């Protein structure tokens, strides 16, 4: 193991201080910072406006833990799935989802996941560790480059819907988003970023208190406690009522509507009473519903509901003026669709 420090764990101020402490000038810190974050330098030799001695000094003290796109698969529909190798050999996945007008990056926040949602492939991997802010940021940069290359336009949106639970890696996810949205990073608007969570009430309240500007999506999948607990064990620890209370707190503070992600499964939540429960829940909090197609994860325990059941949901929601969209699955042929990350890797 390399005991040198990851230089990108340092803020700009830290870097400036480092140079001053080493008998150099503070602005050297700015230069190095620019190399690291705007110019995406992978090693110290690339920093051509820094003297050879200084580069060597940096080399002696720090490492640049850059991610590596280890494997890239392109789907028939243009979706690109990347296996990303981290400095310690662990692998996460990030996906580029293109449409005519947009390019969305779906990024990971943890290696594996601790939440055991029984329909998700990532849940079968144990949680190994959190990603660092720069590992999250690098995924976005890598996908932005792919978007420019294959789609001829830059990245337009980011969703934290890859591997892991972003709110269990709270500080690093927020630090990465800071960098993504800052002028010194990618200068992307937080309005184009969505963090998706299983719905952890305490952390949702913390987001509201921290006055974040990005969007929040919650994986609901059922508005009936027994059913939700069966699919998502986290619901046993914090039920729908607690979740609702946190979401109301979020809305009061941010004024931002929640997106509920929702899969309709055969024989699990495909009845009228399920759709009605969802309507009743949505009426208590400004929200919209995104119905997600289910992507089977090998063993066939769960199945996508009949299209009629999905129609029933759409009609029931629309009858109550609750906005609903249906998300068509992308990148299925390469296991890049929601919940399929970690299938066959
Ligand atoms: N931990 C976060 C983000 C990762 S999952 C969360 O739970 O929201 C991103 C989305 O994919 C979630 O809505 C999740 O419920 C959904 N998902 C997981 N497995 C799926 C599958 N097999 N088919 C369709 N969607 C799935």
């Amino acid at each position: 193991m390399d005991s040198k420090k990851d230089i990108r764990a340092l803020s700009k101020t830290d870097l400036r201080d480092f140079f001053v402490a080493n008998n150099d000038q503070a602005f050297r810190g700015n230069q190095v910072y620019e190399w690291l974050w705007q110019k995406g330098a992978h090693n110290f030799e690339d920093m051509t406006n820094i003297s050879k001695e200084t580069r060597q000094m940096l080399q002696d003290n720090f490492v640049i833990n850059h991610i590596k796109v280890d494997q890239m698969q392109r789907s028939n529909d243009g979706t690109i799935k990347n296996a990303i190798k981290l400095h310690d050999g662990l692998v996460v996945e990030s996906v580029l989802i293109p449409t005519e007008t947009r390019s969305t990056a779906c990024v990971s926040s943890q290696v594996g996941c601790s939440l055991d949602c029984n329909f998700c492939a990532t849940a079968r991997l144990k949680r190994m560790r959190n990603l660092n802010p720069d590992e999250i940021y690098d995924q976005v940069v890598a996908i932005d480059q792919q978007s420019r290359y294959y789609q001829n336009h830059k990245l337009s949106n980011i969703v934290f819907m890859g591997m892991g639970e972003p709110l269990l890696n709270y500080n690093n996810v927020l630090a990465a988003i800071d960098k993504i949205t800052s002028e010194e990073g990618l200068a992307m608007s937080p309005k184009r970023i969505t963090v998706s969570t299983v719905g952890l009430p305490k952390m949702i309240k913390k987001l509201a208190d921290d006055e974040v500007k990005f969007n929040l999506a919650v994986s609901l999948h059922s508005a009936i406690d027994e059913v939700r607990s069966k699919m998502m064990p986290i619901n046993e620890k914090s039920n729908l009522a607690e979740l609702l209370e946190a979401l109301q707190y979020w809305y009061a503070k941010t004024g931002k509507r929640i997106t509920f992600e929702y899969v309709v499964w055969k024989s699990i939540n495909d009845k009228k009473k399920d759709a009605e429960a969802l309507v009743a829940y949505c009426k208590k909090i400004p929200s919209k519903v995104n119905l997600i197609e289910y992507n089977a994860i090998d063993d066939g325990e769960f199945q996508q509901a009949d299209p009629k059941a999905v129609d029933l949901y759409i009609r029931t929601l629309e009858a109550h003026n609750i906005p609903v969209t249906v998300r068509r699955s992308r990148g299925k042929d390469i296991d890049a669709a929601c919940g399929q990350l970690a299938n066959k890797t």
Side-chain angles (χ1 to χ4, degrees):
M1 252 325 256
D2 208 324
S3 61
K4 291 182 206 169
K5 220 175 153 177
D6 174 6
I7 192 165
R8 290 190 303 163
L10 273 59
S11 67
K12 198 191 240 181
T13 313
D14 295 338
L15 270 177
R16 288 168 61 92
D17 293 348
F18 171 83
F19 281 103
V20 173
N22 283 279
N23 307 317
D24 202 332
Q25 294 173 57
F27 86 91
R28 195 83 59 221
N30 301 5
Q31 290 178 315
V32 171
Y33 192 86
E34 195 181 335
W35 277 110
L36 293 171
W37 293 105
Q38 270 145 293
K39 300 185 188 161
H42 283 227
N43 48 61
F44 296 109
E45 287 91 83
D46 292 348
M47 302 181 176
T48 45
N49 59 352
I50 310 287
S51 76
K52 216 168 167 202
E53 295 72 44
T54 307
R55 279 186 266 157
Q56 187 57 48
M57 191 267 282
L58 289 172
Q59 185 89 52
D60 295 341
N61 284 281
F62 298 107
V63 285
I64 304 177
N65 283 335
H66 234 281
I67 62 161
K68 197 171 147 250
V69 176
D70 204 38
Q71 214 193 7
M72 187 189 116
Q73 283 169 278
R74 230 175 145 219
S75 159
N76 302 329
D77 66 17
T79 302
I80 296 177
K81 176 166 94 162
N82 298 288
I84 302 284
K85 198 172 224 158
L86 308 172
H87 68 91
D88 54 4
L90 292 172
V91 176
V92 291
E93 291 174 327
S94 332
V95 184
L96 166 68
I97 308 155
T99 64
E100 296 264 298
T101 51
R102 288 186 185 192
S103 269
T104 302
C106 175
V107 298
S108 295
S109 55
Q110 297 182 309
V111 188
C113 189
S114 57
L115 287 169
D116 300 320
C117 300
N118 61 9
F119 51 88
C120 176
T122 305
R124 316 234 150 138
L125 308 168
K126 288 295 144 220
R127 189 198 80 96
M128 315 245 223
R129 72 169 173 87
N130 285 336
L131 295 188
N132 295 326
D134 46 278
E135 291 171 325
I136 297 170
Y137 180 84
D138 286 353
Q139 293 174 63
V140 176
V141 171
I143 298 206
D144 181 42
Q145 284 164 355
Q146 290 176 343
S147 176
R148 287 168 197 267
Y149 185 80
Y150 291 101
Q151 305 301 128
N152 290 317
H153 54 81
K154 63 181 186 187
L155 198 62
S156 57
N157 299 72
I158 303 172
V159 295
F160 281 77
M161 295 184 187
M163 292 175 157
E165 168 52 43
L167 300 192
L168 289 178
N169 185 15
Y170 190 94
N171 291 339
N172 292 352
V173 166
L174 263 64
I177 293 177
D178 267 352
K179 198 70 77 184
I180 293 164
T181 53
S182 89
E183 286 298 326
E184 285 165 344
L186 298 175
M188 273 183 77
S189 164
K191 290 189 193 135
R192 295 177 168 276
I193 301 176
T194 300
V195 169
S196 174
T197 173
V198 288
L200 305 167
K202 262 196 208 139
M203 303 318 285
I204 291 171
K205 286 186 180 172
K206 188 165 161 50
L207 284 176
D209 288 336
D210 288 342
E211 296 177 11
V212 299
K213 300 283 181 280
F214 50 78
N215 304 299
L216 185 63
V218 173
S219 301
L220 196 66
H221 304 316
S222 176
I224 300 173
D225 273 313
E226 301 175 72
V227 179
R228 190 167 193 260
S229 295
K230 207 176 121 194
M231 304 309 278
M232 306 174 71
I234 188 71
N235 195 68
E236 280 160 30
K237 287 193 198 130
S238 52
N239 63 19
L240 287 160
E242 279 175 71
L243 176 59
L244 181 65
E245 201 246 321
L247 295 176
Q248 286 165 338
Y249 185 88
W250 156 275
Y251 186 75
K253 287 240 163 173
T254 66
K256 277 172 127 27
R257 190 163 67 161
I258 313 286
T259 299
F260 288 126
E261 293 159 275
Y262 201 105
V263 174
V264 190
W265 288 282
K266 193 174 233 135
S267 310
I268 305 253
N269 58 355
D270 59 351
K271 303 287 175 318
K272 196 161 175 240
K273 69 170 189 337
D274 297 291
E276 283 168 354
L278 177 59
V279 165
Y281 201 75
C282 290
K283 283 197 163 174
K284 295 179 186 142
I285 174 84
S287 51
K288 56 182 173 185
V289 175
N290 195 349
L291 295 174
I292 315 177
E293 209 179 298
Y294 177 59
N295 302 302
I297 53 163
D298 280 353
D299 59 13
E301 191 185 350
F302 304 107
Q303 283 158 39
Q304 164 80 19
D306 211 81
K308 276 192 198 136
V310 178
D311 282 346
L312 172 75
Y313 266 91
I314 297 172
R315 274 186 281 114
T316 312
L317 290 160
E318 284 180 344
H320 290 87
N321 296 319
I322 297 156
V324 53
T325 50
V326 179
R327 192 203 292 163
R328 210 167 42 85
S329 194
R330 304 286 305 271
K332 257 189 172 175
D333 55 329
I334 53 166
D335 279 330
C338 272
Q340 287 189 312
L341 299 181
N343 247 4
K344 301 174 194 153
T345 49

